[in-house]
């Protein structure tokens, strides 16, 4: 069922926004091929009559009381920021154009 | 008297009786940390001043006659995946190096409110991904039983700190076995509570539907005391169980009396045999005999879908992790790395930051998770894994109609050598074969030290109970612990080698 190529690893790493070196791409392609082979057996028993479980204990519509609580201060929220200006997060340009 | 050798329960008695002060107890542990950390490296950060300030405050309040929590003044170590206000929190990753959280996790708030001095933050596999703590970005933790060997993972630092008498109590987190497997290989007790028993608010999430925080201690009673303190409903975690905890400490005290008459103990067929080290299997068989002598009835139960648990886990966990770790984007906290050539756009900064800040195992799992969730593969992988999760829950439901608790060895082998499995991810993943089913189903589990294997290294005995019946873990665990210590004449850790004192 599986066969993870170098190209596939590069494509998925780009989706996940992780820069990889060519050497890492080689190693991860080899590792992931073995791992995916080992775990693909789940499809053997996952027949259409079995419902999916996303959560260990059933829960619906969890609400807390609608009471205001103090949020972080602006200073606290910015305390770990790599860069800030005028009380805001300072980020690189979002779009690639000039 | 060496205060570091006492259990938390014993320290609590001495503190309450006024025989020792919290400052004395805390200083004794800080001295021990100073003496053995060079060899063990269980901590990423030691918070001497904060711990001693808390201790002095508790002593003053006690002297003033205030009513205090039973664990007030008993120091504790916290795994570095739990956020602590004003104290560095890295989750073992370079991407969070130097980050100081602006808030406390709920469980940390509860520790502080009860007056437990926090000794520091413990080492772990990066973002809790691993079974040996070798994936930490800050160096290996060494098993106090043999410094050449792994302390288990991901919570190897918490387990090693407790085993090396650097702390009487520690906090761990368990997504696939990260509390129980380190407990097994270091001869300590570790509990993964029922999913939702302890708030996840303030845990740096790996896999939200599997993660659960819990106690790491040297005795079953100490785990119960700590679980009752950190557990219970929290409105800030929507998956937190909105009902009172069972009486855990009472269950541990009852179990310690040694009578298990009427308790049905189910031995899981699928969690034994091939792949389990001979010494591990032998200790398991002996522990079963002790439980039977205590009055328990043994039954064999089959959970046929457990053989698919590892596969389902390694699809669900990376999928959830790939989503949870998307927040490490270099924008609001943590590392930011700018690309050295080309335009400095947000997207390229994100990729460069994550490329530089994440270690190999984290990258491997994010890529695996992204792959499993991507178009064309979702149904075959993630969808199938969620169905397997249903089948495993059904296996547990059926087994718990025949037995009150289920048991198995905690880990298939004793601690392996540092480096031995580092280049073979699949071999590493197999360490968690017996612990993963509980996370997939949300049921609670405990690992209790039950002897040494042929290689002289500790072995763990796992007990699993139905969801919300965590009290059964403590009753059966304490009964086994009492029976074993009756045979040994002392706790297992009394047989651990003395560590070189470096001063």
């Amino acid at each position: 069922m599986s066969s993870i190529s170098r190209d596939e690893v590069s494509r998925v790493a780009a989706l996940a926004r992780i820069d990889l070196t060519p050497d890492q791409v080689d190693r991860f392609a080899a590792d992931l091929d073995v791992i995916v082979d080992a775990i693909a057996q789940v499809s053997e028993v996952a027949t259409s009559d079995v419902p999916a479980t996303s959560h260990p204990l059933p829960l619906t519509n969890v609400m807390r009381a609608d009471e205001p609580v103090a949020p972080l201060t602006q200073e606290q929220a910015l305390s770990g920021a790599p860069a800030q200006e005028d009380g805001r997060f300072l980020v690189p340009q979002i779009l690639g154009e000039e | 008297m060496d205060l570091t050798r006492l259990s938390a329960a014993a320290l609590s008695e001495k503190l309450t009786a006024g025989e020792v002060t919290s400052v004395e107890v805390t200083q004794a542990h800080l001295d021990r940390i100073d003496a053995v950390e060079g060899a063990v490296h269980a901590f990423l950060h030691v918070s001497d001043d904060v711990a001693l300030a808390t201790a002095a405050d508790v002593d003053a309040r006690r002297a003033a006659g205030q009513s205090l929590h039973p664990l007030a003044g008993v120091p504790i170590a916290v795994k570095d995946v739990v956020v602590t206000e004003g104290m560095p929190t890295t989750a073992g990753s370079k991407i969070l190096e130097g980050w100081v959280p602006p808030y406390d996790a709920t469980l940390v708030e509860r520790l502080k409110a009860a007056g437990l001095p926090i000794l520091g933050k413990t080492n772990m596999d990066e973002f809790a991904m691993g079974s040996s703590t070798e994936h930490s970005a800050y160096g290996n933790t060494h098993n106090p039983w043999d410094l050449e060997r792994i302390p288990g993972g991901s919570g190897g630092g918490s387990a090693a700190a407790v085993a090396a008498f650097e702390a009487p109590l520690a906090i761990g987190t368990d997504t696939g076995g990260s509390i129980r497997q380190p407990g097994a290989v270091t001869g300590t007790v570790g509990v993964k509570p029922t999913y939702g028993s302890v708030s996840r608010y303030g845990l740096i999430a790996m896999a939200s539907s599997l993660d659960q925080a819990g106690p790491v201690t040297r005795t079953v009673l100490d785990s119960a005391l700590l679980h009752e303190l950190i557990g219970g409903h929290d409105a800030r975690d929507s998956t937190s169980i909105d009902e009172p905890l069972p009486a855990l400490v009472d269950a541990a005290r009852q179990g310690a009396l040694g009578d298990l008459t009427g308790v049905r103990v189910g031995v899981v067929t699928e969690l034994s045999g091939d792949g389990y080290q001979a010494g591990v299997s032998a200790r398991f068989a002996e522990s079963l005999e002790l439980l039977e002598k205590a009055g328990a009835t043994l039954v064999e139960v089959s959970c046929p879908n457990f053989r698919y648990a590892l596969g389902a886990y390694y699809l669900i966990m990376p999928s959830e992790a790939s989503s949870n770790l998307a927040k490490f984007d270099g924008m609001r906290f943590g590392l930011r790395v700018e690309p050295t050539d080309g335009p400095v756009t947000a997207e390229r900064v994100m990729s460069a930051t994550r490329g530089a800040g994440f270690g190999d195992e984290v990258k491997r799992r994010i890529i695996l998770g992204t792959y499993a969730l991507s178009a064309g593969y979702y149904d075959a992988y993630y969808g199938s894994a969620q169905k397997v999760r249903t089948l495993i829950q059904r296996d547990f439901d059926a087994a718990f109609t025949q037995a009150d608790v289920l048991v198995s060895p905690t880990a298939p082998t004793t601690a392996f050598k540092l480096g031995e499995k580092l280049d073979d991810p699949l071999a590493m993943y197999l360490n968690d074969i017996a612990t993963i089913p509980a996370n997939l189903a949300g049921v609670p589990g405990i690992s209790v030290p039950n002897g040494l294997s042929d290689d002289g290294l500790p072995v763990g005995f796992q007990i699993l109970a139905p969801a919300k019946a965590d009290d059964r873990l403590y009753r059966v665990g304490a009964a086994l612990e009492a029976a074993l210590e009756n045979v040994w004449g002392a706790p297992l850790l009394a047989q651990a080698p003395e560590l070189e004192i470096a001063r």
Side-chain angles (χ1 to χ4, degrees), chain B residues 21-106:
Chain B
T21 65
S22 176
V23 168
E24 287 166 350
V25 172
T26 304
Q27 189 60 55
H29 285 93
L30 291 170
D31 290 347
R32 175 73 180 170
I33 290 171
D34 261 357
V36 303
E37 264 300 272
V40 179
H41 187 45
F43 285 86
L44 293 179
H45 174 77
V46 178
S47 45
D48 306 52
D49 296 348
V50 180
L52 287 169
T54 305
D57 177 56
V58 167
D59 288 339
R61 286 196 281 146
R62 199 185 302 278
Q66 281 188 27
S67 143
L68 300 170
H69 188 277
L71 290 177
V74 178
I76 188 165
V78 177
K79 188 178 180 183
D80 206 31
V81 76
V82 181
V83 303
T84 41
E85 184 180 357
M87 202 180 282
T89 301
T90 68
S93 181
K94 287 288 179 198
I95 212 163
L96 279 179
E97 189 166 19
W99 183 58
V100 180
Y103 70 107
D104 276 326
T106 295

Side-chain angles (χ1 to χ4, degrees), chain B residues 143-169:
Chain B
N143 190 321
W145 288 80
D146 177 349
L147 297 171
E148 308 272 288
R149 290 177 188 270
I150 60 116
S154 66
S158 284
V162 167
F165 302 101
E166 294 176 88
L169 300 170

Side-chain angles (χ1 to χ4, degrees), chain A residues 29-48:
Chain A
D31 290 347
L32 291 174
D33 213 31
V34 174
I35 295 167
V36 170
D37 266 347
I39 59 188
Q41 42 156 314
V42 294
S43 59
E44 288 173 20
V45 285
T47 48
S48 58

